[in-house]
Amino acid sequence: MPAPAPDSAPAAVPVPGRAAGPGSRSAAPPAPAPGPAARSPEARRRRLIAAAFLLPALVLLGALVVQPIGYSLYRSFFDRSGDVFVGAANYRQILSDDTIRTALRNTALWVVLAPAVATALGLIFAVLTERVRWGTAFKLLVFMPMAISMLAAGIIFRLVYDHDPDRGVANAVWVGVHDTFAQSSAFPKARPGRDSPLEPSEGGAFVTRDPVRAGTPVLLPLVGVAPESLPPGTSTAAAAGAEPGKVTGTVWQDFTRGGGGRTNAVDATEQGFAGMRVEAVRDGRVVDAARARADGTFTLSARADGARLRLPGANFREAYGGVQWLGPALVTPAVIGSYVWMWAGFAMVLIGAGLAAVPRELLEAARVDGASEWQVFRRVTVPLLAPVLVVVLVTLVINVMKVFDLVFVIAPGAVQDDANVLALQLYRTSFGTDADPGLGSAIAVLLLVLVVPVMLVNIRRLRKERSR
């Protein structure tokens, strides 16, 4: 027979860590939450410790950042003296002043060119130095300018861009390349002397006043060339002898060092113009030409008989002096070049660190799939380095917004207005004998407004990276 049912079921025993089901007769009561009295002292102590550590930084931040920003904003609404409220007049002056508008344009040019060029060069250097044994030494050389202050770099490049090729490296190289393909004249200062048979002509040339005749030597005296400036191989001038059926003559420096000598006559101590080109011209056409020998003598054929002799302007072309790197047209790109020289190493080091973290199997897989090195660089390496490139680009954009010392040191005073940037204009407006603190404060606020969006982009990027 079945056992009789018990009068009452045993009480359900709660299982720790498991909620009671709907059929359970009883459930474990939840643990009581700690009250305010239990947690308040510990939380308050931790907050006090955190505040104690943050307080010095907050005091410095307020004294060195917040207070100056607030005072600059307040001061920008007053006039030069600080006693008269002028509202937005200082900001309207920023838009109407030609010098400040030039500074705005140059600052925009800096923001567009300098970070992009420095980042691109840093990327190229970082990728290429991975493929050579001496990559570390090259990185050291490229990064070395970062150890130089902006002031020292400005002094260096002020000399580099000097217009005199004997001092400025840039012009020395430029003139050397130019003279390789277009040799300058050895007689840039030569000119006819007193009672000379030569007269000026078109294009800087000199021609004889009268036609020449075969068999009669011609004298072509010139002055104005220093003896030490004569070309190599020059020797003492000699009077040309007569040759039947030919036109002969002498072109020489009609000047006797120490005085004396006869005008328009070849004297014993005078020098010939070696290499001077002489042309025989008839009815506007060159019928014959020759170059003077070391002693200045030359010989033309019978075709020159009855023609006029011409010394073409190419004989007297001024020596090529190079490029005005610090002139009004090129001063801003020249200063940007010095900035890129300094900061390309910074970009290279950061990008190189990011490149070291790129998985090599991805690059090898792309090569196995048939991608060329350019395709691997453009479609794999650059996209993987995009976060690092953004960091470098944003950092450099913020940096060029406040560039000041390079422009101040490199740009000569005569063209400083042409190279002006906002940070330099802020200094020039706020200090000096004609200082206007109100306008200077307005420029400072404008510079802050321009920097803030870039800073917000950087903060947003940092938050995204932290949330990954």
Side-chain angles (χ1 to χ4, degrees):
M1 294 182 63
D7 294 338
S8 62
V13 179
V15 178
R18 186 173 71 183
S24 302
R25 296 192 179 184
S26 63
R39 65 184 180 187
S40 178
E42 180 66 19
R44 187 180 300 112
R45 186 177 68 86
R46 290 181 178 179
R47 285 197 296 270
L48 288 175
I49 292 175
F53 277 102
L54 289 175
L55 184 61
L58 292 175
V59 170
L60 289 175
L61 185 67
L64 301 179
V65 178
V66 178
Q67 191 273 339
I69 291 176
Y71 179 76
S72 296
L73 181 62
Y74 166 80
R75 186 67 178 82
S76 66
F77 294 109
F78 288 82
D79 69 343
R80 184 189 303 265
S81 65
D83 299 327
V84 180
F85 180 80
V86 295
N90 288 323
Y91 294 95
R92 288 193 296 269
Q93 185 175 348
I94 290 176
L95 300 177
S96 61
D97 189 278
D98 290 337
T99 303
I100 301 178
R101 287 194 298 184
T102 300
L104 279 170
R105 286 195 301 269
N106 287 339
T107 301
L109 188 64
W110 270 85
V111 170
V112 171
L113 284 183
V117 174
T119 304
L121 285 178
L123 176 60
I124 293 172
F125 292 157
V127 172
L128 293 182
T129 49
E130 279 205 333
R131 300 176 175 270
V132 294
R133 290 184 177 180
W134 40 269
T136 303
F138 180 81
K139 288 180 179 179
L140 179 63
L141 289 175
V142 175
F143 187 75
M144 196 176 295
M146 286 295 299
I148 303 174
S149 69
M150 287 279 197
L151 177 63
I155 295 173
I156 291 171
F157 274 87
R158 180 67 179 268
L159 295 175
V160 167
Y161 291 134
D162 195 286
H163 185 62
D164 185 358
D166 293 331
R167 296 180 60 192
V169 176
N171 259 348
V173 174
W174 193 270
V175 170
V177 173
H178 174 273
D179 288 349
T180 301
F181 300 97
Q183 187 65 35
S184 299
S185 168
F187 317 104
K189 304 295 185 183
R191 65 187 186 278
R194 177 168 50 90
D195 300 328
S196 173
L198 295 167
E199 62 181 5
S201 182
E202 296 178 356
F206 300 105
V207 298
T208 56
R209 302 178 189 273
D210 303 311
V212 297
R213 294 300 174 185
T216 304
V218 182
L219 297 177
L220 303 178
L222 296 169
V223 296
V225 180
E228 60 271 12
S229 300
L230 291 172
T234 298
S235 63
T236 303
E243 296 185 27
K246 293 183 179 181
V247 174
T248 59
T250 305
V251 54
W252 84 103
Q253 170 88 332
D254 189 19
F255 173 77
T256 301
R257 178 174 287 185
R262 297 166 297 163
T263 304
N264 297 334
V266 180
D267 294 312
T269 60
E270 296 173 346
Q271 300 292 308
F273 280 163
M276 177 78 74
R277 181 177 173 82
V278 182
E279 298 174 345
V281 180
R282 182 185 290 113
D283 299 328
R285 294 185 304 108
V286 177
V287 296
D288 198 9
R291 286 196 179 273
R293 304 178 186 93
D295 58 1
T297 60
F298 61 88
T299 303
L300 298 169
S301 67
R303 293 191 299 270
D305 186 27
R308 299 174 71 186
L309 298 189
R310 179 175 68 184
L311 303 179
N315 289 320
F316 315 106
R317 184 175 53 240
E318 290 284 347
Y320 182 66
V323 178
Q324 285 279 3
W325 298 105
L326 299 182
L330 294 177
V331 61
T332 295
V335 180
I336 291 176
S338 65
Y339 178 89
V340 170
W341 175 77
M342 290 192 66
W343 286 87
F346 167 82
M348 178 194 66
V349 170
L350 290 189
I351 295 171
L355 191 60
V358 172
R360 291 298 181 264
E361 55 269 18
L362 295 179
L363 305 180
E364 294 302 327
R367 295 188 181 101
V368 169
D369 288 342
S372 64
E373 289 300 324
W374 169 248
Q375 289 174 325
V376 172
F377 173 76
R378 185 166 59 92
R379 297 182 179 273
V380 181
T381 304
V382 172
L384 290 176
L385 288 176
V388 180
L389 296 177
V390 171
V391 170
V392 174
L393 199 62
V394 171
T395 303
L396 293 181
V397 167
I398 295 175
N399 186 266
V400 300
M401 285 281 195
K402 55 184 182 179
V403 68
F404 158 76
D405 26 19
L406 275 180
V407 183
F408 184 74
V409 174
I410 295 178
V415 296
Q416 206 165 80
D417 284 344
D418 300 285
N420 202 10
V421 291
L422 277 178
L424 178 58
Q425 183 61 33
L426 169 61
Y427 168 79
R428 296 170 64 185
T429 304
S430 302
F431 303 98
T433 55
D434 195 30
D436 188 345
L439 182 58
S441 298
I443 296 174
V445 172
L446 174 62
L447 194 57
L448 175 65
V449 170
L450 293 176
V451 171
V452 164
V454 184
M455 295 175 59
L456 293 178
V457 170
N458 203 24
I459 293 173
R460 185 179 178 185
R461 179 191 57 78
L462 292 173
R463 287 180 176 174
K464 281 186 178 181
E465 290 186 357
R466 192 176 300 172
S467 63
R468 291 176 182 174

